[in-house]
Amino acid sequence: MLEKESRFDADVETADHGVDASPRYPLAEKTDIYVDEMGAVPGENFSYGNTTYAKIQRFAGKYKIEQRGIERVPENERTDKNLHIIGTMWLAANMVVSSFAIGALAIPVFHLGFVDSVLLIFFFNILGIIPVCFFSTFGPRFGLRQMVLSRYFYGYYGVKLIAIFNMLACVCWSAVNVIVGAQILNAINDDIPGWGGIIVIAACTFIVTLFGYKVVHAYEFYSWIPCFIIFLIVLGEFAHSGQFYNIPLSVGSSEIGSALSFGASVFGFATGWTSYAADYTVYQPANSSRTRVFLWTFAGLIFPLCFTEMLGCAVLTASVNNPVFADGYHTNIGAVLAAVLIPPLGGFGKFCLVVLALSIIANNCPNIYSLTFSLQVMGRWTQMVPRFIWTFVGTLVYCAIAIPGYGNFVTVLENFMLLIGYWLAIYTAIAITEHFLFKRGNNGYDLSIYQNARLLPPGFAAILAFCFGVFGAVMGMSQIYYIGPIGKLIGDPEFGGDIGFPLAFGFSGISYAILRTLEKKTFGR
């Protein structure tokens, strides 16, 4: 075992920054864990020593549970050369009922035509997934989780605000998703109570995420296959039914407003993975081709998102002429799928619905796995709690929201999540401005300081720019509860048009460029 003196207990001296006596590595201070000169923690060191932390980690190690949390992965442990698992990871997470439901919004909610809906789905998904693909390339290069990387944009303390938003997204979307899955199970069999379906889906998700990175990737590698087959069956049965109706493209200002609002929903769902992106590539070799990582991520996202959302849009065209589909949609999305599958297929159709309900597991795995890293960046004590314990806590929390929310406030919860989704545009704008304008690319990151508050950016510019971004989102949003003054100018004033995402992006990006310049002149970092 490496000597204990190697743990950065002494002051750290650098040519650029001088002496910094601040504690850098919380685990090294309170345990016998060795941390190398670049802040990486070898895997075998998590269970070294006689502390309570070490004993818990040894117990986890016996059962092959991933022990690593937000600690940087050493380069010699980034050995997962199978880049295709990045693609299958996102393929499975989006070949699910939730994305089908996003596409279904186009007809009954936004009253769009079929062709324009399909075009909006395609182009807004491309815009939404580009940040996910971009940040996925950071994982192999730096070996850091997405929330830890965000310290280089928001600072050691400022990132805690981002982590709070990310935790809200992880927990609340998990609750919404699991309610949808439970509703489908209940639609198949009234004897299955809502809380029962929630617990079954949540328990399965917990088991997968408990074991960590390798098991999450292994599960997602296969789980998309049965879901894809069943969606193909949905496509075939719906086409055979003759219920499809090619709703013509409408024109006018109201069409523009509806198109922008639907596009915002599609964009928000697609870009929702941005704050998790690097979490699923940190074990890829440091010399992995950034182009290949980007393209595998792109392929893994664009196909399931477009396929399921376009399918959802196509199926809901039947709601124009068939009240069964219209009434089914207002019940829940499971009733729509049941209307397609059960009449022609009977018991096999019910089996297909069960599989689709369980697809929520693949959808929630990234939420719950990445939730743990947001919790760990909140403070030194939260980092001392092993990742797998936070997985259990997160599961309990979203179940505690979902069970009382089943059938009561799921719509309120969905609207709330759409409302706070604008933060991702702000997050992306600030991150890419810092990366290209101030870091000048990947070589501008000093990986040895990722735990050092005194050497990371102060974060004042990022937080102020975040506030400007919120202002932009409020001005341009078009939601059920509120329509911004700029949003009202687009389309029908009663409904407006949602341009909250581009305004949030623009306001935060431009203000950050100005504020960060002043911050660097003032603080020198």
Side-chain angles (χ1 to χ4, degrees):
M1 181 60 63
L2 294 164
E3 292 296 321
K4 202 172 177 179
E5 285 75 21
S6 301
R7 292 185 295 126
F8 276 84
D9 288 331
D11 291 351
V12 179
E13 185 171 356
T14 66
D16 295 332
H17 304 103
V19 176
D20 174 58
S22 62
R24 301 182 60 175
Y25 305 107
L27 286 178
E29 295 167 10
K30 299 183 182 297
T31 69
D32 293 318
I33 287 178
Y34 164 79
V35 180
D36 72 15
E37 69 278 3
M38 296 301 289
V41 179
E44 67 272 12
N45 279 268
F46 287 103
S47 56
Y48 178 69
N50 292 313
T51 62
T52 302
Y53 177 88
K55 292 175 182 177
I56 294 172
Q57 291 283 25
R58 278 199 294 272
F59 176 80
K62 289 180 182 179
Y63 297 97
K64 306 299 181 184
I65 294 172
E66 183 187 12
Q67 298 164 302
R68 187 179 304 281
I70 61 171
E71 300 77 30
R72 183 169 180 254
V73 182
E75 288 194 20
N76 65 344
E77 293 185 27
R78 288 179 238 161
T79 56
D80 191 354
K81 298 180 180 180
N82 299 316
L83 296 183
H84 64 273
I85 68 169
I86 304 170
T88 55
M89 165 73 205
W90 299 117
L91 176 59
N94 293 281
M95 188 67 72
V96 293
V97 175
S98 301
S99 51
F100 177 91
I102 292 294
L105 294 171
I107 309 300
V109 175
F110 296 105
H111 308 291
L112 296 167
F114 176 69
V115 173
D116 45 326
S117 298
V118 166
L119 291 173
L120 289 166
I121 287 169
F122 180 72
F123 288 108
F124 275 91
N125 269 314
I126 289 177
L127 289 174
I129 66 177
I130 285 174
V132 189
C133 302
F134 175 68
F135 289 116
S136 291
T137 66
F138 284 47
R141 180 65 182 264
F142 302 131
L144 290 172
R145 311 287 187 172
Q146 190 67 39
M147 281 297 105
V148 182
L149 280 167
S150 301
R151 288 174 173 171
Y152 290 92
F153 315 134
Y154 290 86
Y156 186 87
Y157 298 105
V159 80
K160 298 179 194 298
L161 172 65
I162 301 305
I164 290 171
F165 275 95
N166 202 42
M167 286 187 286
L168 281 172
C170 291
V171 170
C172 293
W173 274 125
S174 293
V176 170
N177 293 337
V178 79
I179 288 173
V180 171
Q183 286 174 338
I184 295 175
L185 293 175
N186 181 257
I188 300 166
N189 188 341
D190 292 338
D191 293 332
I192 301 175
W195 61 266
I198 288 170
I199 290 174
V200 167
I201 296 171
C204 293
T205 305
F206 168 69
I207 292 170
V208 175
T209 54
L210 170 69
F211 287 92
Y213 181 93
K214 289 184 178 180
V215 175
V216 169
H217 270 292
Y219 178 80
E220 306 282 37
F221 185 81
Y222 296 104
S223 66
W224 67 272
I225 298 173
C227 295
F228 179 52
I229 292 172
I230 291 170
F231 277 126
L232 286 176
I233 294 172
V234 171
L235 174 62
E237 290 296 336
F238 182 71
H240 182 70
S241 72
Q243 297 286 338
F244 173 75
Y245 174 59
N246 187 8
I247 302 172
L249 171 69
S250 58
V251 294
S253 59
S254 60
E255 166 74 9
I256 296 172
S258 295
L260 287 172
S261 295
F262 177 60
S265 299
V266 172
F267 175 87
F269 187 84
T271 206
W273 306 113
T274 300
S275 55
Y276 312 166
D279 297 349
Y280 302 96
T281 58
V282 290
Y283 288 98
Q284 305 290 335
N287 62 355
S288 297
S289 166
R290 281 177 284 176
T291 301
R292 290 184 64 201
V293 171
F294 185 99
L295 291 176
W296 272 114
T297 307
F298 185 89
L301 284 164
I302 195 65
F303 173 67
L305 286 170
C306 286
F307 174 70
T308 54
E309 289 173 10
M310 290 177 185
L311 179 60
C313 176
V315 170
L316 262 295
T317 61
S319 65
V320 174
N321 298 316
N322 190 332
V324 172
F325 286 86
D327 295 341
Y329 180 79
H330 292 295
T331 302
N332 59 64
I333 201 67
V336 174
L337 289 164
V340 177
L341 292 172
I342 293 179
L345 300 177
F348 180 69
K350 292 182 179 181
F351 170 77
C352 291
L353 287 176
V354 171
V355 175
L356 289 180
L358 295 178
S359 73
I360 298 299
I361 299 169
N363 195 207
N364 273 357
C365 277
N367 291 332
I368 301 307
Y369 180 68
S370 292
L371 168 67
T372 60
F373 309 125
S374 293
L375 284 161
Q376 286 193 326
V377 301
M378 291 303 294
R380 293 176 180 274
W381 75 269
T382 59
Q383 188 178 350
M384 290 299 300
V385 178
R387 177 203 63 81
F388 43 87
I389 293 178
W390 283 127
T391 300
F392 179 67
V393 172
T395 300
L396 292 180
V397 170
Y398 84 79
C399 284
I401 295 172
I403 290 174
Y406 181 87
N408 293 322
F409 69 99
V410 63
T411 302
V412 174
L413 197 58
E414 287 175 340
N415 292 330
F416 170 71
M417 292 313 301
L418 290 172
L419 188 64
I420 71 165
Y422 298 102
W423 81 273
L424 287 162
I426 302 171
Y427 172 84
T428 302
I430 291 172
I432 64 173
T433 303
E434 174 69 26
H435 178 78
F436 288 108
L437 194 59
F438 298 101
K439 293 286 192 292
R440 302 297 177 91
N442 289 335
N443 293 328
Y445 294 81
D446 181 356
L447 298 177
S448 67
I449 68 170
Y450 78 91
Q451 296 262 39
N452 194 321
R454 295 187 184 182
L455 299 183
L456 287 164
F460 298 117
I463 298 303
L464 284 173
F466 191 95
C467 294
F468 278 106
V470 171
F471 176 74
V474 170
M475 294 293 288
M477 68 172 55
S478 175
Q479 295 291 332
I480 291 176
Y481 301 118
Y482 177 78
I483 301 175
I486 297 178
K488 285 181 180 178
L489 300 176
I490 302 170
D492 187 337
E494 183 180 354
F495 303 104
D498 197 327
I499 56 170
F501 280 104
L503 287 184
F505 185 93
F507 276 49
S508 56
I510 294 171
S511 61
Y512 181 73
I514 298 169
L515 293 167
R516 180 72 172 122
T517 301
L518 297 174
E519 184 180 66
K520 288 200 74 172
K521 287 181 178 179
T522 303
F523 295 94
R525 55 187 170 98

